[in-house]
Amino acid sequence: MIRMSRTADRVKVTFALPLEGPAGRCSVVGDFNEWIPGSHELRKRTNGTRSATVTVPPGTRFRFRYLGEDGNWFNDPDVEHRDGADNVVVV
């Protein structure tokens, strides 16, 4: 799940996954962090999810994927827009 909150000069994007899976450590990796694994690791929250938040300028388009343990890349199950490389695009 992706949640966004906007102000005039920035957009906070929160990426959240259920605690149930995938097991182990997981990070969100994308254009906003130069695709560097571990830069935005999802942390356990009291609401039964794990999440990470990034801040981008309004109007930003970016690609991202999740990276789990053992190099397991996967897309957000709730986002439908995908480009030719199978990366998720959020507008």
Side-chain angles (χ1 to χ4, degrees):
M1 169 178 23
I2 298 174
R3 294 184 307 268
M4 294 185 206
S5 63
R6 301 171 191 274
T7 63
D9 61 343
R10 65 183 177 163
V11 179
K12 282 188 173 183
V13 183
T14 301
F15 302 89
L17 293 173
L19 289 175
E20 298 85 45
R25 297 173 73 168
C26 182
S27 60
V28 61
V29 185
D31 296 334
F32 48 80
N33 61 14
E34 305 295 323
W35 293 89
I36 299 171
S39 294
H40 291 92
E41 187 172 330
L42 278 68
R43 303 283 183 203
K44 183 179 176 180
R45 307 296 180 207
T46 58
N47 66 358
T49 66
R50 50 192 167 157
S51 66
T53 301
V54 301
T55 302
V56 296
T60 300
R61 291 179 61 97
F62 59 86
R63 296 179 305 140
F64 77 94
R65 295 189 80 193
Y66 296 105
L67 178 60
E69 286 192 6
D70 300 323
N72 178 31
W73 288 94
F74 60 99
N75 293 322
D76 189 299
D78 295 330
V79 177
E80 296 179 15
H81 305 287
R82 301 182 194 280
D83 67 15
D86 202 33
N87 291 321
V88 179
V89 177
V90 175
V91 180

